[in-house]
Amino acid sequence: MNANEKIIALVKPEYLNKIPKMFRKHATEGTCKLIAKEHPNLYSETACKTSSLTIAGFL
């Protein structure tokens, strides 16, 4: 599981379902890029660890 998948796993499914399917991939990738840009230390830690607990308090 990569860092983007871990970040998206923390989002409630009902929130993801509100995004139209044709925009969902673009929206989730954009969100992950924004998190990586604004919080590189959290993103790099998440990419290295197997647990998403590092960023659980962030979202």
Side-chain angles (χ1 to χ4, degrees), residues 4-59:
N4 291 351
E5 291 170 343
K6 291 178 184 180
I7 291 169
I8 298 304
L10 295 172
V11 178
K12 293 181 181 180
E14 56 265 16
Y15 294 151
L16 286 177
N17 291 335
K18 290 182 179 183
I19 303 170
K21 286 186 180 184
M22 62 187 199
F23 301 120
R24 195 171 296 159
K25 182 177 178 185
H26 174 71
T28 55
E29 287 176 356
T31 301
C32 292
K33 285 180 184 178
L34 182 65
I35 292 171
K37 182 179 176 182
E38 292 183 356
H39 305 281
N41 57 336
L42 293 176
Y43 192 83
S44 64
E45 288 176 18
T46 305
C48 295
K49 293 184 179 183
T50 58
S51 171
S52 61
L53 294 176
T54 304
I55 61 170
F58 174 68
L59 298 174

